[in-house]
C-alpha cells in the first residue's frame, strides 16, 4: 500500500508538471481543454511522445490548411486597404483603387496567383483594421499601418517587411505663421482615432507641457473638410499623408499649407497578416521583398521577363536556376510575375509617392546602396 501511495503521488506530480508545460506552450489553451483536443485521451500522460510529435503536426496543418492554400482556392487576395489617402490608397468614381499600398496588394496577388488583378480591396478605416484581420475578413492588411510593440503583441498581428519609413508631422495653414509645436499652445488639432498618431500627439504635447484640444475623426473623409473649414488649427498625421493632402488642398485651389520641419515619431509602415500562419506570412513577405531585390539587381517591369545574362543570383531570382522560393510556397517565377505586372520598388514609389511631393532619392526609403533603408535578405 505504501509503495502504491508513493507511485500515485509521483504520477500525480508528473501530470501537473505536464499540464503546466502544455499551458505555457500553447499560451491560450487552458489545461482543462486538452482532452477535447486529443483524439486519444487515454494516451495523454505520454507527454514526452506528444511533445516530440507536435512540430510535425503543426507543420502539416500549415501545409494543408493555411491561409496560403485558402487564397489559392479562392483565387483572390482580400486586401484591407485605404480609399481616402492620395498616394497610398484612393478609389475613383468608377470604383477603381490605386496607390502605393494598393500596388502592394497587387504584388501579393501576382506572386501567389500569377495575376495582379486578382485582388479584392476591402476599404477599412483605422479602427476596423485589426478586427478585420483577426476575424479573417481580410487575408492581408496593407493600409499605412505602423508597426509597434503593443500591436505586435496584443492585436494578433504579424508585421512583415517595412515598405515605407515615415514619421509624424504637423500641418497648418501657412497664413497662421506657425512654425513650431510650441506655437500650437491651446490649439485644436485634427487627428484620426485608433491610430498611433493620436497616441503620439498626446504623449509629445503632454511631455512638453503644451496644452491642446484634440478633435478626433474616424477617417480623412470627415477630417479634411473640418480642417479646411477651420474647425482645427492644425492637422497631425504621418508626414507622407500630410504631403498628400497638402498637394490635394492646394491643387484644388485651397489655402496654402505649411508642414512643420519637426518629425515627432518613427512610423514604419508595411503589410500585416494574422499571427499563427508562418507559411502565409513567408509568402507575403518574400513577394513584397522581391520588388526591392529587383530594384537592386537593376531589373524592372520592362526587362525582368527577358533577362538572358549569366549572373547566377539573377538566374535564381527569375526562376531560371535552382528555385530559392521552393520552401515558401510560391511559384518558381513569382518575382518575374510581380515585377513584370506591378513593377519594382522604385517604379511603384515613383508612380504614386513622387507625385505627392516626396522624393525617393536621399530619403530613408532609398535603396541601401544609396544610403537608404531598403535592404532585403538574399534571395538564395
Amino acid at each position: 500500500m505504501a509503495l502504491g501511495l508513493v507511485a500515485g503521488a509521483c504520477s500525480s506530480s508528473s501530470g501537473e508538471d505536464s499540464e503546466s508545460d502544455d499551458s505555457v506552450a500553447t499560451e491560450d489553451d487552458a489545461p482543462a481543454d486538452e482532452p477535447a483536443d486529443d483524439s486519444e485521451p487515454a494516451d495523454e500522460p505520454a507527454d514526452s511522445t506528444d511533445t516530440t510529435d507536435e512540430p510535425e503536426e503543426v507543420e502539416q496543418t500549415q501545409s494543408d490548411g493555411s491561409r496560403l492554400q485558402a487564397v489559392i482556392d479562392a483565387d483572390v487576395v482580400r486586401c484591407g486597404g485605404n480609399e481616402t489617402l492620395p498616394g497610398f490608397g484612393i478609389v475613383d468614381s468608377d470604383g477603381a483603387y490605386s496607390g502605393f499600398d494598393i500596388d502592394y496588394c497587387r504584388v501579393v496577388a501576382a506572386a501567389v496567383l500569377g495575376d495582379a488583378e486578382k485582388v479584392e480591396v476591402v476599404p477599412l478605416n483605422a479602427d476596423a483594421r485589426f478586427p478585420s484581420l483577426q476575424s479573417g475578413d481580410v487575408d492581408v492588411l496593407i493600409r499605412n499601418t505602423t508597426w509597434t510593440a503593443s500591436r505586435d503583441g496584443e492585436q494578433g498581428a504579424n508585421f512583415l517587411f517595412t515598405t515605407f519609413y515615415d514619421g509624424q508631422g504637423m500641418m497648418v495653414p501657412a497664413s497662421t505663421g506657425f512654425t513650431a509645436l510650441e506655437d500650437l499652445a491651446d490649439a485644436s488639432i485634427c487627428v484620426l482615432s485608433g491610430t498611433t498618431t493620436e497616441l503620439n500627439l498626446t504623449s509629445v504635447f503632454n511631455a512638453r507641457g503644451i496644452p491642446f484640444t484634440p478633435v478626433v475623426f474616424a477617417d480623412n473623409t470627415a477630417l479634411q473638410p473640418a480642417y479646411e473649414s477651420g474647425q482645427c488649427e492644425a492637422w497631425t498625421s504621418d508626414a507622407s499623408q500630410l504631403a498628400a493632402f497638402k498637394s490635394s488642398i492646394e491643387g484644388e485651389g485651397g489655402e496654402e499649407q505649411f508642414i512643420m520641419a519637426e518629425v515627432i515619431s518613427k512610423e514604419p509602415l508595411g503589410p500585416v497578416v494574422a499571427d499563427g500562419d508562418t507559411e502565409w506570412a513567408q509568402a507575403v513577405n518574400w513577394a513584397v521583398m522581391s520588388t526591392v531585390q529587383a530594384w537592386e539587381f537593376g531589373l524592372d517591369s520592362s526587362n525582368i521577363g527577358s533577362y538572358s545574362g549569366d549572373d547566377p543570383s539573377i538566374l535564381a531570382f527569375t526562376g531560371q536556376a535552382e528555385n530559392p522560393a521552393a520552401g515558401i510556397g510560391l511559384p518558381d517565377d513569382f518575382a518575374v510575375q510581380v515585377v513584370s505586372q506591378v513593377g519594382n520598388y522604385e517604379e511603384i514609389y515613383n508612380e504614386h509617392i513622387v507625385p505627392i511631393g516626396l522624393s525617393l532619392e536621399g530619403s530613408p526609403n532609398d535603396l541601401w546602396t544609396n544610403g537608404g533603408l531598403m535592404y532585403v535578405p538574399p534571395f538564395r
Side-chain angles (χ1 to χ4, degrees):
M1 182 180 298
L3 289 174
L5 290 174
V6 170
C10 292
S11 174
S12 174
S13 175
S14 174
E16 288 173 3
D17 290 344
S18 298
E19 288 179 358
S20 175
D21 289 344
D22 287 346
S23 66
V24 171
T26 58
E27 293 183 358
D28 293 332
D29 294 336
D33 292 338
E34 291 176 9
D37 294 335
D38 262 350
S39 59
E40 297 180 8
D43 294 335
E44 188 177 358
D47 288 330
S48 60
T49 302
D50 290 345
T51 302
T52 302
D53 293 339
E54 188 175 354
E56 294 181 5
E57 292 174 5
V58 172
E59 182 178 350
Q60 184 66 31
T61 299
Q62 290 179 342
S63 176
D64 292 343
S66 72
R67 175 75 61 168
L68 175 59
Q69 188 59 52
V71 169
I72 293 171
D73 291 343
D75 202 32
V76 67
V77 174
R78 296 172 302 164
C79 188
N82 207 326
E83 61 178 353
T84 63
L85 182 57
F88 288 85
I90 200 77
V91 61
D92 63 22
S93 58
D94 296 326
Y97 286 85
S98 63
F100 181 87
D101 285 345
I102 301 303
D103 264 3
Y104 273 100
C105 295
R106 299 176 66 237
V107 161
V108 176
V112 175
L113 303 175
D115 188 344
E117 301 310 311
K118 290 184 176 181
V119 172
E120 176 190 343
V121 178
V122 180
L124 300 172
N125 64 28
D127 290 327
R129 290 176 296 183
F130 293 108
S132 295
L133 189 66
Q134 294 160 358
S135 67
D137 289 342
V138 297
D139 301 312
V140 58
L141 176 66
I142 308 181
R143 187 204 175 281
N144 52 289
T145 299
T146 301
W147 185 358
T148 71
S150 61
R151 286 175 171 178
D152 216 353
E154 299 172 2
Q155 296 290 355
N158 185 359
F159 286 80
L160 306 177
F161 181 76
T162 296
T163 54
F164 195 91
Y165 290 93
D166 212 340
Q168 185 171 333
M170 190 74 64
M171 183 168 73
V172 296
S175 60
T176 63
F178 296 158
T179 60
L181 296 184
E182 285 71 18
D183 295 333
L184 295 172
D186 298 316
S188 297
I189 301 176
C190 281
V191 62
L192 288 181
S193 63
T195 62
T196 56
T197 310
E198 186 178 13
L199 298 175
N200 293 335
L201 172 65
T202 300
S203 176
V204 171
F205 272 58
N206 287 350
R208 296 192 186 184
I210 306 172
F212 74 101
T213 301
V215 183
V216 181
F217 296 88
D219 56 51
N220 289 316
T221 303
L223 190 156
Q224 182 174 346
Y227 171 75
E228 290 191 80
S229 67
Q231 292 183 40
C232 316
E233 295 162 88
W235 182 350
T236 188
S237 188
D238 291 349
S240 63
Q241 295 191 34
L242 296 179
F245 285 111
K246 177 181 187 296
S247 176
S248 175
I249 291 170
E250 294 175 352
E252 294 173 1
E255 186 175 352
E256 181 183 355
Q257 302 297 313
F258 176 78
I259 299 176
M260 295 181 181
E262 184 174 1
V263 175
I264 66 173
S265 71
K266 296 182 293 184
E267 306 294 330
L269 313 176
V272 192
V273 296
D275 267 340
D277 192 334
T278 300
E279 190 174 31
W280 176 236
Q282 287 176 334
V284 173
N285 213 23
W286 285 97
V288 168
M289 291 191 295
S290 71
T291 65
V292 178
Q293 185 60 67
W295 180 20
E296 183 177 340
F297 279 149
L299 301 172
D300 58 29
S301 58
S302 70
N303 63 21
I304 192 170
S306 58
Y307 179 77
S308 58
D310 57 5
D311 186 319
S313 296
I314 296 181
L315 289 172
F317 181 69
T318 56
Q320 300 178 64
E322 184 178 355
N323 176 23
I328 56 176
L330 293 174
D332 289 358
D333 66 343
F334 82 94
V336 175
Q337 296 301 327
V338 166
V339 178
S340 63
Q341 295 184 46
V342 187
N344 66 23
Y345 184 91
E346 182 181 34
E347 290 179 289
I348 296 170
Y349 190 104
N350 286 341
E351 180 177 356
H352 301 293
I353 306 302
V354 170
I356 64 173
L358 297 176
S359 174
L360 177 57
E361 184 177 0
S363 75
N365 297 298
D366 207 345
L367 196 61
W368 68 281
T369 52
N370 299 330
L373 298 177
M374 284 298 147
Y375 180 106
V376 298
F379 275 70
R380 63 169 183 260

